[in-house]
């Protein structure tokens, strides 16, 4: 089960292997424990191993592999150990067919068993390998199968692929190549796959950022699409060989946005972009925003669904809708949404929020809601993503590509969009946009050198801690949740957030001499949260205040301007910087934390 990997392919007039290596490097945020490529020249050649692309590119001399047709894969192992055998591409028994796959083949076991009974030999523990053997099996059959589309000219590789693809159950994006044929055959179902069109060739990738080096002309594939790419020809079909038309779109993002520039890591670069990105989050078509506001008012039951940081933005959104628009919305973790399905009707409005637009739990929840007739508002950062095409209404976050596994700029953009929607429900999106504009310098200053130095010093003092806690009330509680996620994701320190009022109901037992506790303060609920801080202090806790003004209970104080309803934006940023500095302090890679991937494309 190769759930969250990066796949890349190229066919054209250029040598494929150097292009594959660069593409896989650009894709590393999707999975980074093993890498492999396969190309077709006079023969099919595959090179793969466990390890990172930078090391393997040299050790396996990837760039010297011949051929103008090639496929590449960067793996994020979930099932099957991190080994050379389990790395992709996977080949058939005769080393004639090579495939790469992202997703889950749910019926792989029965397919593998029947193939093995017919003498196929398997080299890996993965589900993906069955695809190579299925194609081999079809190729070994008589190619003049009834109903084959006349336009196939009798060549059977793409036909064999289609017969193989039809046997697969689950989610998959697959690229396949065959010795002796300058051709890539590809398909997708519930796993992302896009094409990039350049003068010298065609690119395949799990998303657009990896081939922005070469082109911004993109083709988004629908579920069930089949692509047959030759050096000078590109055809789109459905799995019954019916020709389909797929438009070419141009990506807004520019190349530099997908590069680190002068920053050591994407995380710091993306944190530093927020003075701009929160402004861009407001650049919405206000007719659409007002139409959505109308749907909220006329709806009967509104749900916000998401995962991880996007879920925290939804929780913050529910507080803002209640506070600003006096409207109740239900917030649900997308992976738990099935427990609410009974309440879904055609009058229900579901906001599905996902920066990548490919999070499987969110897509599954959206499809369940659509089956019950509910209307969907998609909020995503990736034009062309599955979620962007599932919704009745679409709001794009305009944050630009986010490469670091941790969501930073996209989280604050989501919060700003929630604020904008809440104000629009009050018929006054101007006030929100004004407030966001006023935040520019405050946000800019929070990523300044002096703030970074202060947080670097704090990170030095906290780096050896085993446990860190965070408390807040109201909007500061949702901020504490997000801050805790950032710190634990990238520093691997157990970090947990509690609502300030919950402390005495259990968590206070965790506090002992020197236990670091961050306290998020705002004018709205200063007294109560400060008394919570005093309860912590009384048990020996080390109190770190995140507030606009100092307080005697603070052992350390991070000065952050109080911005009222936009505190979830402004108070999250120094915590992102702290998380970054903790990772650097601990010699960890902030962009590619262990066990995580940027887009969780399986359930
Ligand atoms: C956040 O830093 C994590 N990368 C993760 O929790 C993420 O927010 C979650 O996987 C949801 O991703 P999405 O917004 O792309 O759906």
């Amino acid at each position: 089960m190769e759930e969250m990997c990066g796949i890349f392919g190229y066919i054209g007039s250029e040598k494929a292997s150097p292009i594959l290596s660069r593409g896989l490097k650009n894709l590393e945020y999707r999975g980074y424990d093993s890498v492999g490529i396969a190309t077709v020249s006079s023969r099919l050649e595959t090179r793969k191993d466990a390890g990172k692309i930078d090391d393997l590119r040299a050790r396996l001399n990837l760039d010297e592999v011949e051929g103008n047709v090639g496929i590449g894969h960067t793996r994020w192992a979930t099932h099957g150990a991190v080994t050379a055998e389990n790395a992709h591409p996977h080949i058939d028994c005769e080393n004639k067919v090579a495939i790469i796959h992202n997703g889950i083949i749910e019926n792989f076991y029965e397919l593998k068993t029947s193939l093995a009974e017919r003498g196929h030999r398997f080299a890996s523990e993965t589900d993906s390998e069955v695809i190579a053997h299925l194609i081999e099996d079809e190729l070994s059959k008589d190619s003049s199968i009834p109903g084959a589309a006349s336009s196939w000219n009798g060549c059977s590789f793409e036909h064999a692929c289609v017969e193989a693809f039809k046997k697969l159950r689950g989610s998959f994006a697959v690229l396949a190549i065959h010795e002796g044929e300058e051709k890539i055959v590809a398909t997708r179902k519930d796993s992302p796959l896009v094409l990039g069109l350049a003068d010298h060739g065609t690119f395949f990738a799990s998303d657009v950022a990896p081939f922005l080096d070469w082109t911004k002309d993109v083709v988004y594939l629908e579920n069930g699409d089949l692509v047959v790419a030759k050096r000078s020809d590109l055809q789109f079909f459905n799995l019954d060989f019916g020709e389909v038309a797929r438009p070419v779109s141009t990506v807004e993002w520019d190349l530099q946005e997908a590069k680190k520039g002068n920053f050591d890591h994407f995380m710091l670069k993306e944190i530093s972009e927020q003075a701009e990105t929160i402004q861009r989050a407001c650049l919405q078509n206000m007719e659409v925003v007002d139409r959505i506001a109308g749907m909220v008012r006329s709806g009967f039951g509104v749900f916000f669904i998401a995962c991880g940081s996007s879920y925290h933005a939804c929780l913050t959104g529910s507080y803002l809708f209640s506070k600003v628009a006096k409207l109740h919305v239900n917030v649900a973790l997308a992976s738990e949404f099935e427990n609410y399905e009974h309440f879904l009707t055609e009058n229900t409005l579901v906001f599905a929020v996902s920066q990548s637009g490919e999070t499987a739990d969110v897509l599954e929840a959206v499809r369940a809601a659509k089956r019950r007739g509910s209307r969907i508002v998609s909020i995503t950062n990736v034009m062309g993503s599955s979620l962007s095409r599932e919704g009745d209404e679409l709001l794009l976050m305009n944050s630009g590509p986010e490469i670091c596994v941790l969501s930073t700029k996209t989280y604050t953009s989501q919060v700003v969009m929630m604020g904008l929607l809440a104000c629009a429900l009050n018929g006054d999106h101007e006030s929100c946009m004004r407030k966001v504009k006023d935040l520019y310098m405050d946000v800019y200053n929070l990523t300044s050198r002096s703030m970074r130095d202060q947080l670097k010093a704090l990170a030095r003092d906290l780096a050896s801690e085993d446990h860190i806690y965070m408390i807040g009330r109201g909007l500061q509680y949702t901020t504490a949740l997000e801050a805790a996620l950032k710190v634990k994701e990238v520093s691997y320190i157990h970090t947990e957030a509690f609502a300030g009022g919950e402390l005495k109901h259990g968590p206070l037992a965790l506090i002992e001499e020197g236990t670091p506790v961050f306290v998020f303060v705002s004018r709205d609920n200063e007294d109560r949260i400060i008394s919570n801080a005093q309860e912590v202090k009384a048990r020996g806790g080390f109190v770190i205040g995140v507030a606009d003004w100092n307080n005697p209970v603070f052992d350390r104080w991070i000065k952050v301007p109080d911005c009222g309803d936009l505190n979830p934006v402004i108070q999250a940023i120094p915590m992102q910087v702290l998380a970054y500095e903790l990772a650097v302090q601990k010699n960890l890679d902030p962009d590619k934390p262990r066990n995580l991937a940027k887009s969780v494309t399986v359930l």
Side-chain angles (χ1 to χ4, degrees), residues 307-310 354-356 359 405-407 414 485-486 489 600:
C307 304
S309 287
S310 298
S354 166
Q355 91 81 23
S356 63
T359 298
V405 166
L406 275 75
S407 308
Q414 287 164 346
L485 178 60
K486 293 286 92 88
E489 272 190 284
V600 182

Side-chain angles (χ1 to χ4, degrees), residues 68-96:
N68 299 76
V69 183
I71 56 178
H73 185 275
T74 175
R75 181 172 185 240
W76 195 95
T78 51
H79 299 77
V82 177
T83 62
E85 291 70 30
N86 288 341
H88 296 222
H90 290 291
I91 55 174
D92 65 336
C93 302
E94 307 303 322
N95 188 27
K96 298 259 184 279

Side-chain angles (χ1 to χ4, degrees), residues 16 48 171 245 389 507 577:
K48 61 179 184 173
S171 62
R389 290 177 280 161
V577 176

Side-chain angles (χ1 to χ4, degrees), residues 492-530:
Y492 316 154
I493 298 172
H494 167 241
T495 311
E496 212 171 329
F498 309 110
E502 271 304 289
L503 264 185
K504 295 190 281 303
H505 304 288
L508 200 55
L510 296 166
I511 308 303
E512 53 193 11
E513 195 57 35
T515 305
V517 179
F518 284 79
V519 181
F520 294 84
V521 184
S522 95
R523 270 192 202 87
D524 293 2
N525 46 43
E526 182 187 0
D527 301 347
R528 293 214 177 143
I529 195 69
I530 291 297

Side-chain angles (χ1 to χ4, degrees), residues 1-2 79-81 85-86 90-91 93 105-137 164 167-169:
M1 291 165 196
E2 305 305 300
H79 299 77
E85 291 70 30
N86 288 341
H90 290 291
I91 55 174
C93 302
I105 309 298
E106 287 157 4
N107 59 338
F108 92 97
Y109 190 71
E110 71 209 55
L111 293 170
K112 189 171 182 175
T113 312
S114 73
L115 285 160
E117 279 157 9
R118 290 204 295 286
H120 286 265
R121 300 176 308 282
F122 286 82
S124 79
E125 305 161 284
T126 68
D127 56 333
S128 312
E129 190 184 349
V130 290
I131 306 170
H133 294 277
L134 280 173
I135 297 172
E136 175 187 21
D137 209 47
K167 293 191 172 74
L168 305 177
R169 298 282 167 280

Side-chain angles (χ1 to χ4, degrees), residues 4 306-312 353-360 362 379-380 382 387 397 402 404-408 410-411 414 482 485-486 489 593 596-600:
M4 297 185 286
C307 304
S309 287
S310 298
Y311 170 75
H312 294 149
V353 181
S354 166
Q355 91 81 23
S356 63
E358 298 294 352
T359 298
V362 173
I379 298 183
T380 182
V382 181
L387 182 62
M397 295 156 54
E402 188 174 64
C404 170
V405 166
L406 275 75
S407 308
T408 53
T410 55
Y411 168 75
Q414 287 164 346
E482 175 58 12
L485 178 60
K486 293 286 92 88
E489 272 190 284
L596 298 178
K598 183 65 183 169
S599 175
V600 182

